[in-house]
């Protein structure tokens, strides 16, 4: 499978990365190179093979339902590019 | 006492506890070395001398009080991927500009709890994506090694290039690193240092900036095998904050050093003899086999038939996970924000300006392979192939193999800004061809120097072990180290 | 997955259009906030209404390197709910990432369950009616699945002219998404489904069901078709936050779709919003960004696995659910099916009734709760939680009737007083002289006076004994209702010489 310029632009949009026409063209070539490389996986017979969901065979650890975190709004917004009264601020979102 | 920085951790520890030296002296020696070298080597992106001296003083006090921890007073460098409270933590990306976490990664917390001293944050490929340390926002790291009679700057490998270079150039006693597809072992091989990627789940991932969650694993880069064992013992833990961390006690790895490997079965996988591999690599491999045989190990030929598919499968799984893991860098809560006319514009501009070329490439690939209609053909198939890769290893281990010996990399260090590699991302990816299988199967792997090539550059051997049997790797690697010797670059910087 | 139509078209539910009858097909996705102290994957509080970002951990804020750790109580709550919905419990389920960008989604993905949810198919029996004959109809509605997922934070748009304010307090709170099969065929059924589902969740204690606080929200899928034809194209109405609005939204949407088709148009599959002020649904802006959520298993979380013992232990501790309770009320207390249905409709009502009925006659208790208490609550527009009369007080009234201290009529007055002023029933009866008069001397005096004052009535009554009731009424009036009615009856009859 290979991608065209329109697909690259659509994927960039999905990934929320602005790309110039020139970048999109360059990426098209690069992505096709990589996709060509991974294409060899289609040779592998994977019939009846379970996809890997966890590399180590163990049961997932769980947590007790106890409140032990929070009350640190100052820490939460400490690195924010724009905040006000412990809220994060972003350009207005129109519903 | 002029060469305090040439002491291994084990040696420094002995001198500290014998009170022949103080941690402040040792730390000052490293700070001086960094000040002298870093402008050239560019291993550190942030040096924290005041914090280091303060930690060293506290270590000296604990040593005096007889309360020394296992790493008391030992100055370490920390890869920029590890969250260190109040200190530069940016994964060497522009998008994390100015980020100073209000938390500490579990691995670094473990190190500080054991008495280690932090010298600063180490350079790396942006978000650990790369094999040359050239994708760092802070510029490339120079390998302390140069080819005989050459002034050409070489890469230290990546992504943990800063860690490997700092250890090789004696700019820290040891360093933390991470390995997603070979990012500990390849730079270790390129710099004549020892690097181990432990079993997935051995070190907590809590507080380590995520690249590909199912593959990322922290480990040390050190001067020798013993130091690597000492560091891993402190870094590893069972962490309730990481549900993929495994509930197994951490053994005393250093205790396995010097143990006999007599009767051990070492597998030699034929699939690692790849087309176009330099003869020197093949010769190194044969040398390694001979050393282990001499030490009493039994050498057996094995087959890991899905080896060639590990790298392509990796370049689906890792970018897919990365595309999702890096979605949080959106200019809202931390790091870079480039204003836009609306929220989507802000996202797109921020991420376009904040991510480098390689990171964008991988996000794009990852987004594409997960997108509607392609999931089964790419991601699901790659995860099935991963099952097959893991099964190959399991069958070998079931057949009695204790460890597997391979070359660590298909070549020695290459030049910075190599045009051939820059033009073709896939060529760069091939650097991980021997290391990536280990991540795909979640196994432990260690890279240990095996010798120098005709250019006088270090080459590494890799040992792959059974899950959670890092001790086997340490004792076997030590045998190679004893035979091969240790390698230190001639100081030119 | 093919969708099976399990319902037979029923003309009672058809919607008449200009060109004939139409049938509406409804499926629901309900987001129910799990009752838990802490969030699904972090140890921050789930409390409602705190200061901005106060209930936020660094995990909820998606700081670099933070990892999710699952809250075992949320798992238990989901399994309990699955058991309450008589559903298949999946012993192995997978958490997936649903990827999209939104400022109140800090990770850039929501952790949800996609292909392997924790709970599979189940069912809910709803009761629809009453019809013209006063009959209720039980309908079985299929549950497709239930899965666990994270809630998002909140964006506020009215704080600043050009900026939105983001608060992550809700970010990471556990939700159960409960998906019905497209088995609902009218707005009444949809409302009954939501009511019943909410009741089951409240009985189980797995969700508080408070729609006005957002702890239960419904996405409603609506399509129309000619009866007997295949399913039409559906529209999804997002985030409807009251049962009444769900009814209104369906009514509006069904008519909108019918009008379009009858005019020769086609329905676009789209997401719509319900505007409660206008009573209309409207299309959500921009389809340019067709959603592509790129689901894949979350590599930070292993598969969620548990064994039979885990499920069995939860099953053993499950509270009695409304259908079982209704059956028991009918069987053990002798209540009518209708009364029992009313009493179990809400857990709080059932709890109230059971407190009143404890050690008392069930039918009497049921009459008081349904006719007097619920009647008064309904009239006052109050919920059972807001009742001014406690079960103990109402029980006290019933006890006072039973031991003959007050008459049934006085009991109603006593209820009024308790409703308006509160107090202890027995003390009120004492202090306000409401005790029933059983002293025959006093009653006899009153009877004599009435007889003496009404000779004409006496003659009539002797001729027609049924008129004796008039005297009883007069005596009760004269005694302020406090005379024991049986005693008055007996005395009047004997004084008038009427045979028993």
């Amino acid at each position: 499978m290979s991608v065209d310029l329109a697909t690259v632009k659509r994927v960039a949009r999905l990934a929320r990365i602005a790309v110039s026409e020139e970048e999109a063209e360059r990426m098209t070539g690069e992505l096709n190179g990589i996709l060509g490389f991974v294409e060899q996986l289609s040779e592998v017979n994977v019939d009846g093979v379970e996809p890997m969901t966890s590399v180590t065979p163990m049961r997932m650890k769980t947590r007790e339902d106890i409140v032990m975190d929070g009350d640190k709004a100052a820490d939460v917004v400490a690195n924010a590019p724009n905040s006000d009264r412990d809220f994060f601020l972003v350009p207005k979102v129109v519903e | 006492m002029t060469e305090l920085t040439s002491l291994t951790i084990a040696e420094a520890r002995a001198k500290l506890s014998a009170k022949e030296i103080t941690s402040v002296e040792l730390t000052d020696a490293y700070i001086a070395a960094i000040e002298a070298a870093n402008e050239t080597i560019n291993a550190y992106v942030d040096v924290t001398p005041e914090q280091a001296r303060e930690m060293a003083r506290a270590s000296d006090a604990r040593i005096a009080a007889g309360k020394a921890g296992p790493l008391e007073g030992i100055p370490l460098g920390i890869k920029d991927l590890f969250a260190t409270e109040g200190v530069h933590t940016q994964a060497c990306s522009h998008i994390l500009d100015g980020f100073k976490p209000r938390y500490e990664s579990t691995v670094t917390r473990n190190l500080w709890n054991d008495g280690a001293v932090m010298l600063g944050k180490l350079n790396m490929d942006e978000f650990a994506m790369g094999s040359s340390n050239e994708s760092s926002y802070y510029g490339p790291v120079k390998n302390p090694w140069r080819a005989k009679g050459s002034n050409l700057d070489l890469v230290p490998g990546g992504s943990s290039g800063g860690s490997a270079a700092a250890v090789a150039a004696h700019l820290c006693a040891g360093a933390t690193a991470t390995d997603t597809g070979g990012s500990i072992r390849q730079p270790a091989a390129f710099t004549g240092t020892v690097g181990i990627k432990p079993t997935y789940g051995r070190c907590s991932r809590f507080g380590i900036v995520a690249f590909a969650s199912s593959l990322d694993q922290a480990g040390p880069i050190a001067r020798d095998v013993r130091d690597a064992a000492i560091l891993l013992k402190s870094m590893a833990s069972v962490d309730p904050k990481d549900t993929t961390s495994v509930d197994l006690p951490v053994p005393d790895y250093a205790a396995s050093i010097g143990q006999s490997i007599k009767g051990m079965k070492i597998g030699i996988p034929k699939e690692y003899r790849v087309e176009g591999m330099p003869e020197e690599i093949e010769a190194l491999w044969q040398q390694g086999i001979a050393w282990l045989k001499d030490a009493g190990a039994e050498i057996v030929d094995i087959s890991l038939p899905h080896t060639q598919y590990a790298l392509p499968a990796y370049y689906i799984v890792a970018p897919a996970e990365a595309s999702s893991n890096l979605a949080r860098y959106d200019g809202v809560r931390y790091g870079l924000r480039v204003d836009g006319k609306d929220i989507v514009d802000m996202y797109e501009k921020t991420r376009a300006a904040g991510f480098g070329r390689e990171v964008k490439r991988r996000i794009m690939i990852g987004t594409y392979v997960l997108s509607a209609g392609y999931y089964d053909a790419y991601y699901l198939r790659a995860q099935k192939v991963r099952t097959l890769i893991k099964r190959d290893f399991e069958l070998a281990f079931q057949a009695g193999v204790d460890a597997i010996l391979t070359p660590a990399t298909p070549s020695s260090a290459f030049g910075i800004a190599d045009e051939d590699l820059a033009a073709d991302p896939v060529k760069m990816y091939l650097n991980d061809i021997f290391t990536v299988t280990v991540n795909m199967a979640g196994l432990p792997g260690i890279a240990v120097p095996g010798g120098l090539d005709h250019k006088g550059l270090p080459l590494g051997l890799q040992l792959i072990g059974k899950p959670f049997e890092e001790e086997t790797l340490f004792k076997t690697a030590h045998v190679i180290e004893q035979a091969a010797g240790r390698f230190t670059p001639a100081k030119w910087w | 997955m093919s969708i099976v139509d399990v319902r037979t078209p029923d003309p009672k539910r058809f919607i008449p259009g200009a060109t004939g009858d139409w049938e509406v097909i409804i499926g629901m996705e309900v987001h129910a906030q799990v009752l838990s102290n802490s969030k699904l994957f972090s140890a921050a509080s789930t409390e409602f209404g705190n200061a901005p970002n106060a209930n936020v951990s660094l995990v909820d804020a998606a700081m670099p390197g933070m990892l999710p750790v699952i809250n075992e109580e949320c798992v238990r709550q989901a399994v309990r709910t699955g058991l309450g919905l008589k559903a298949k419990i999946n012993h192995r389920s997978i958490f997936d990432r649903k990827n999209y960008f939104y400022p109140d989604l800090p990770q850039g993905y929501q952790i949800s369950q996609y292909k392997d949810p924790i709970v599979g198919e189940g069912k809910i029996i709803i009761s629809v009616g009453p019809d013209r004959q006063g009959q209720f109809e039980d309908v079985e509605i299929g549950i497709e699945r239930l899965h666990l997922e994270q809630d998002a934070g909140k964006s506020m748009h009215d704080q600043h002219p050009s900026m939105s304010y983001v608060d992550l307090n809700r970010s990471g709170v556990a939700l159960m998404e409960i998906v019905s099969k497209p088995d609902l065929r009218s707005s009444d059924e949809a409302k009954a489904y939501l009511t019943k589902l909410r009741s089951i969740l409240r009985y189980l204690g797995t969700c508080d069901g408070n729609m006005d606080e957002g702890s239960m929200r419904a996405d409603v899928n609506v399509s129309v078709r000619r009866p007997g034809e295949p399913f039409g194209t559906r529209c999804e109405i997002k985030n409807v936050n009251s049962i009444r609005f769900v009814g209104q939204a369906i009514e509006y949407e069904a008519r909108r779709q019918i009008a379009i088709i009858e005019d020769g148009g086609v329905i676009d599959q789209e997401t719509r919003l319900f505007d409660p002020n206008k009573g209309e649904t409207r299309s959500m802006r921009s389809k340019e960004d067709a959603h592509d959520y790129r689901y894949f298993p979350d590599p930070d979380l292993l598969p969620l696995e548990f064994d039979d013992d885990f499920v069995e232990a939860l099953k053993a501790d499950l509270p009695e659910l409304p259908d079982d309770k209704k059956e028991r009320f009918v069987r053990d207390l002798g209540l009518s099916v209708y009364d029992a249905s009313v009493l179990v409709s809400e857990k709080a009502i059932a709890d109230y009734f059971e407190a009143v009925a404890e050690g008392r006659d069930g039918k009497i208790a049921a009459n008081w709760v349904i006719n007097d208490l619920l009647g008064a609550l309904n009239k006052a527009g109050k919920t059972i939680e807001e009742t001014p009369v406690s079960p103990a007080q109402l029980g006290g009234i019933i006890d006072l009737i039973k031991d003959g201290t007050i008459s049934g009529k006085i009991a109603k007055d006593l209820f009024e007083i308790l409703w308006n002023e509160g107090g202890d029933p027995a003390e009120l009866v004492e202090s306000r002289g409401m005790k029933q008069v059983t002293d025959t001397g006093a009653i006899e005096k009153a009877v004599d006076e009435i007889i003496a004052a009404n000779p004409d009535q006496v003659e009539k009554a002797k001729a027609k004994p049924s008129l004796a009731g008039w005297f009883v009424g007069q005596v009760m009036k004269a005694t302020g209702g406090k005379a024991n009615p049986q005693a008055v009856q007996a005395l009047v009859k004997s004084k008038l010489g009427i045979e028993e």
Side-chain angles (χ1 to χ4, degrees):
Chain A
M1 278 176 263
S2 66
V3 293
D4 57 16
L5 191 64
T7 306
V8 168
K9 286 181 183 169
R10 182 179 63 80
V11 171
R13 174 92 178 151
L14 263 181
R16 294 287 186 267
I17 297 175
V19 288
S20 66
E21 196 68 23
E22 188 192 350
E23 278 176 299
E25 273 168 27
R26 195 196 69 225
M27 280 180 177
T28 307
E30 289 171 354
L31 298 197
N32 280 330
I34 297 165
L35 291 172
F37 173 64
V38 304
E39 189 63 42
Q40 54 182 302
L41 288 188
S42 55
E43 301 165 9
V44 186
N45 181 359
V46 293
D47 293 349
V49 178
E50 279 295 308
M52 187 174 279
T53 41
S54 82
V55 74
T56 36
M58 58 180 278
R59 186 167 279 214
M60 179 159 66
K61 279 181 275 191
T62 61
R63 180 173 56 75
E64 274 185 71
D65 184 26
I66 302 169
V67 176
M68 297 194 301
D69 209 338
D71 281 328
K72 51 171 72 159
D75 286 345
V76 168
V77 300
N79 281 285
N82 194 352
S83 66
D84 178 23
R85 288 168 287 142
D86 291 342
F87 285 99
F88 295 104
L89 265 61
V90 297
K92 187 154 260 180
V93 182
V94 193
E95 286 286 327
Chain B
M1 299 302 262
T2 49
E3 288 298 327
L4 281 180
T5 58
S6 63
L7 298 172
T8 64
I9 292 173
E11 289 162 356
R13 211 162 58 162
K15 286 189 187 295
L16 283 164
S17 68
K19 307 206 170 59
E20 290 173 33
I21 57 170
T22 66
S23 175
V24 171
E25 288 165 1
L26 187 61
T27 301
D28 279 338
Y30 277 112
I31 292 168
I34 295 167
E35 281 170 359
N38 202 51
E39 207 173 313
T40 309
I41 304 287
N42 198 29
Y44 283 86
V45 292
D46 190 37
V47 187
T48 54
E50 276 163 38
Q51 193 166 338
R53 290 193 180 101
E54 195 180 307
M55 290 173 95
R57 277 192 292 275
S59 279
D60 285 333
R62 279 193 295 272
I63 293 168
K67 290 179 183 161
L71 284 175
E72 200 64 64
I74 303 295
L76 301 178
I78 303 299
K79 189 177 184 181
D80 200 32
L81 206 60
F82 292 80
T84 44
E85 196 170 343
V87 175
H88 187 288
T89 300
Q90 300 179 20
C92 285
S93 178
H94 185 34
I95 208 156
L96 270 167
D97 258 8
F99 183 64
K100 288 193 167 66
R102 299 284 182 105
Y103 52 95
E104 188 77 30
S105 80
T106 298
V107 164
T108 48
R109 184 172 298 288
N110 288 343
L111 292 171
W112 316 143
N113 286 345
D114 278 359
V117 169
M118 179 169 73
L119 292 167
K121 300 304 282 290
L122 294 164
N123 207 339
M124 55 180 281
D125 278 302
E126 184 183 4
F127 282 106
M129 296 178 191
S131 305
S132 66
N133 212 113
E134 292 171 293
S135 73
S136 168
Y137 179 65
Y138 298 92
V141 176
K142 284 180 191 164
N143 194 330
W145 287 86
R146 281 175 167 179
K148 275 182 297 197
S150 164
N151 284 336
L152 183 73
D153 288 328
L154 302 178
V155 304
S159 67
S160 310
S163 304
V167 171
H170 296 184
L171 306 181
C172 59
T176 65
T178 61
D179 189 318
T180 305
S183 284
I184 290 175
R185 291 158 290 157
Q186 185 251 19
F190 277 14
T191 56
T193 54
V194 176
I196 180 165
K197 181 205 92 76
T199 314
Y200 184 82
R202 182 66 286 179
C203 288
S204 168
R205 292 184 297 113
F206 180 85
I208 301 175
V209 176
F211 161 17
S213 312
S214 74
L215 301 156
D216 296 344
Q217 194 44 211
I221 292 180
R223 307 269 176 87
D224 65 9
V225 175
R226 185 184 303 276
D227 280 7
I230 292 168
L231 284 172
L232 182 59
K233 163 78 178 156
S234 286
M235 289 169 72
S237 63
V238 180
D239 188 1
K241 289 188 227 158
D242 174 2
T243 58
T244 60
S245 103
V246 173
D247 269 317
L248 283 173
V250 182
D252 179 7
Y253 296 118
S256 61
I257 305 237
Q259 285 177 7
S260 167
I261 62 160
K262 208 171 159 100
M264 253 179 57
K265 222 184 226 186
I266 305 292
I268 308 298
K270 65 170 193 274
E271 290 80 6
Y272 281 62
R273 196 159 283 124
V274 296
E275 210 178 309
M277 188 165 83
E279 249 172 62
E280 281 184 301
I281 302 286
E282 174 66 34
L284 169 83
W285 196 4
Q286 292 308 323
Q287 180 62 68
I289 291 169
W291 285 328
L292 297 182
K293 206 186 265 176
D294 288 349
E298 184 193 340
I299 306 297
V300 291
D301 287 328
I302 60 166
S303 174
L304 302 169
H306 295 92
T307 298
Q308 73 166 109
Y309 302 111
L311 200 59
Y314 173 85
Y315 273 96
I316 290 169
V317 173
E321 293 183 8
S323 71
S324 176
N325 282 335
L326 271 57
R328 66 188 56 196
Y329 306 103
D330 59 4
V332 175
R333 294 165 314 286
Y334 39 74
L336 184 73
R337 173 185 294 188
V338 178
D339 286 324
K341 64 180 189 319
D342 57 25
I343 183 82
V344 173
D345 197 40
M346 186 278 272
Y347 285 151
E348 292 188 339
K349 285 187 169 142
T350 298
R351 291 165 62 81
F355 292 132
R357 202 163 146 170
E358 180 61 26
V359 171
K360 281 185 203 169
R361 193 180 287 149
R362 299 206 196 183
I363 291 174
M364 293 286 290
I365 278 286
T367 304
Y368 176 72
V369 299
L370 289 176
S371 66
Y374 297 104
Y375 178 85
D376 287 2
Y378 286 114
Y379 188 80
L380 192 65
R381 174 166 280 265
Q383 290 289 33
K384 287 178 178 175
V385 169
R386 206 173 160 189
T387 300
L388 293 172
I389 292 164
K390 186 167 184 244
R391 192 177 296 165
D392 284 352
F393 282 106
E394 284 166 353
L395 291 173
F397 292 134
Q398 275 166 26
V401 167
D402 296 295
I404 294 163
L405 180 74
T406 76
T409 57
S411 74
S412 60
F414 45 86
I416 288 178
D418 183 298
E419 281 178 21
D420 205 25
L421 289 170
D424 183 358
V426 173
K427 254 190 194 152
M428 182 69 93
Y429 298 169
L430 288 169
N431 260 285
D432 291 335
I433 191 154
F434 298 142
T435 47
V436 77
T437 49
V438 174
N439 300 78
M440 295 300 271
L443 302 172
I446 192 167
V448 60
L452 302 178
D453 68 2
H454 70 279
K455 292 180 278 188
L457 295 175
L459 293 173
L461 285 163
Q462 174 179 238
L463 286 157
I464 303 167
K466 297 182 199 171
F468 301 102
E469 292 194 10
E470 283 80 3
E471 289 156 291
T472 305
L473 298 186
F474 284 122
K475 72 179 177 189
T476 313
H478 187 249
V479 167
I480 293 173
E481 183 177 66
Q482 292 294 100
R486 282 176 46 196
F487 303 90
T488 309
K491 192 169 165 183
W492 52 265
W493 55 88
Chain C
M1 178 190 67
S2 64
I3 299 167
V4 183
D5 190 355
V6 296
R7 302 285 301 272
T8 310
D10 178 354
K12 277 208 298 285
R13 293 174 171 81
F14 290 171
I15 301 173
T19 58
D21 284 342
W22 294 86
E23 193 179 19
V24 61
I25 311 292
I26 305 152
M28 295 244 234
E29 291 165 24
V30 172
H31 289 90
Q33 183 186 326
V34 173
L35 272 178
S36 65
N37 300 315
S38 62
K39 295 182 179 181
L40 182 53
F41 295 112
S42 90
S45 170
T46 57
E47 218 170 284
F48 182 77
N50 284 46
N53 288 316
N55 294 348
V56 176
S57 77
L58 300 175
V59 176
D60 305 319
M63 290 289 161
M66 291 298 105
L67 297 170
V69 182
I70 195 165
N71 179 344
E72 59 188 20
E73 177 62 11
C74 296
V75 175
R76 285 195 289 265
Q77 292 288 55
V79 173
R80 282 185 192 111
T81 307
L83 292 169
L85 300 175
K86 316 263 183 272
K88 177 171 183 288
I89 307 299
N90 293 324
H91 290 209
R92 183 175 193 271
S93 63
I94 308 265
F95 285 99
D96 296 280
R97 293 185 181 176
K98 179 181 182 179
N99 294 284
Y100 64 97
F101 287 87
Y102 206 75
D104 60 20
L105 187 75
Q107 296 165 136
Y109 54 84
Q110 176 196 36
I111 305 178
S112 180
Q113 297 189 299
Y114 184 47
K115 285 186 183 149
D116 301 282
I118 185 167
V119 174
E121 292 188 331
K123 62 185 180 196
I124 290 183
I125 309 289
I126 62 168
S127 194
V128 197
D131 60 13
R132 286 194 200 91
Q133 286 78 44
Q135 294 299 305
F136 285 83
E137 185 187 352
D138 281 352
V139 182
E140 183 180 309
I141 303 302
I143 299 293
E144 177 68 35
R145 58 184 280 164
L146 175 156
H147 69 252
L148 279 168
E149 65 183 26
Q150 297 177 299
D151 203 352
K154 215 176 157 176
S155 304
M156 273 154 281
H157 310 297
D158 53 0
Q159 310 275 315
H160 190 280
S162 62
M163 304 300 271
S164 290
Y165 278 53
V166 180
D167 170 21
L168 300 178
N169 277 347
R170 294 190 67 86
S171 164
V173 168
L175 300 178
M176 295 179 281
E177 180 173 326
I178 302 162
V179 183
S180 85
K181 292 184 181 286
D183 289 354
L184 298 157
R185 293 292 178 270
S186 70
S187 60
D188 282 344
E189 287 190 5
K191 288 193 285 183
Y193 170 81
L194 264 187
T195 307
K196 184 63 174 281
L197 176 60
R198 184 175 65 176
S199 159
I200 291 171
L201 296 175
R202 284 176 169 168
Y203 270 82
L204 290 165
T206 58
C207 170
D208 67 22
N210 293 336
M211 295 189 81
D212 47 355
E213 283 183 7
S215 44
M216 205 172 136
R217 277 115 67 186
D219 297 343
V220 192
N221 286 296
V222 179
S223 66
V224 298
R225 66 169 176 193
R226 295 288 188 188
E229 286 188 358
F231 289 138
T233 304
R234 66 192 160 84
C235 291
E236 183 180 23
I237 311 164
K238 279 270 184 205
N239 266 329
V240 190
N241 63 1
S242 91
I243 292 177
R244 193 161 55 93
F245 292 162
V246 163
Q248 290 174 7
I250 293 169
E251 290 292 333
Y252 176 87
E253 181 61 19
R255 281 177 169 62
R256 184 188 75 87
Q257 293 184 15
I258 290 168
I260 289 173
I261 301 173
E262 289 192 331
D263 283 349
V266 287
I267 304 301
D268 290 330
Q269 181 160 348
E270 62 176 356
T271 304
R272 301 179 68 84
L273 282 178
F274 178 67
D275 181 341
N277 297 320
K278 293 187 183 152
E280 295 173 1
T281 67
R282 61 178 163 84
S283 183
M284 276 174 87
R285 186 186 58 96
S286 116
K287 275 179 284 182
E288 66 165 318
D289 263 333
H291 285 300
D292 188 341
Y293 292 124
R294 290 159 283 137
Y295 284 99
F296 75 108
D298 190 328
D300 285 331
L301 295 160
L302 299 170
L304 175 62
E305 292 171 296
F306 42 76
D307 53 23
D308 257 334
D309 292 350
F310 176 80
V311 179
E312 288 307 314
L314 291 172
K315 199 183 249 175
D317 275 347
L318 227 50
E320 187 181 35
L321 291 171
D323 291 347
D324 299 325
K325 203 180 273 287
K326 179 167 93 179
E327 205 176 292
R328 180 169 60 84
F329 285 174
V330 171
R331 187 184 63 228
D332 295 357
L333 304 180
L335 304 191
S336 70
V337 172
Y338 179 85
D339 283 0
S341 302
V342 171
L343 291 172
V344 304
S345 64
E346 279 184 47
K347 179 170 189 293
I349 296 174
D351 288 346
Y352 188 105
F353 164 71
E354 293 204 84
V356 175
E358 176 71 41
R360 303 189 177 96
D361 182 277
K363 277 187 180 166
I364 292 172
N367 282 337
W368 273 94
V369 171
I370 294 171
N371 299 329
D372 298 275
L373 181 80
L374 295 183
L377 286 172
N378 194 26
K379 209 166 127 195
K382 286 181 191 294
T383 66
I384 185 82
E385 287 83 1
E386 297 162 336
T387 176
V389 178
S390 72
Q393 288 172 318
L394 186 55
I397 296 175
I398 295 171
D399 292 343
L400 291 167
I401 303 170
K402 191 176 179 219
D403 67 15
T405 308
I406 56 171
S407 66
K409 183 172 181 311
I410 288 292
K412 306 281 180 191
D413 298 341
L414 180 56
F415 181 84
E416 279 279 325
I417 295 166
L418 287 167
W419 178 276
N420 292 315
E421 303 165 35
D424 178 73
E427 279 170 19
L428 280 172
V429 165
E430 196 67 48
S431 66
R432 305 209 178 178
M434 299 168 81
K435 265 192 168 171
Q436 182 160 254
V437 180
T438 42
D439 170 6
T440 38
I443 298 172
E444 194 170 352
K445 185 164 167 272
V447 173
D448 287 345
E449 282 171 14
I450 301 290
I451 288 177
N454 297 283
D456 294 357
Q457 290 292 335
V458 173
E459 288 313 309
K460 284 182 189 164
K462 281 181 176 166
K464 198 178 177 194
S466 65
L467 291 175
W470 182 85
F471 286 91
V472 175
Q474 292 300 307
V475 173
M476 292 306 290
K477 208 172 181 178
T479 57
K482 283 180 283 180
N484 180 318
Q486 280 81 38
V488 177
Q489 182 104 6
L491 269 170
V492 165
K493 283 187 177 168
S494 90
K495 296 266 175 186
L496 295 175
I498 298 166
E499 291 300 313
E500 285 288 328

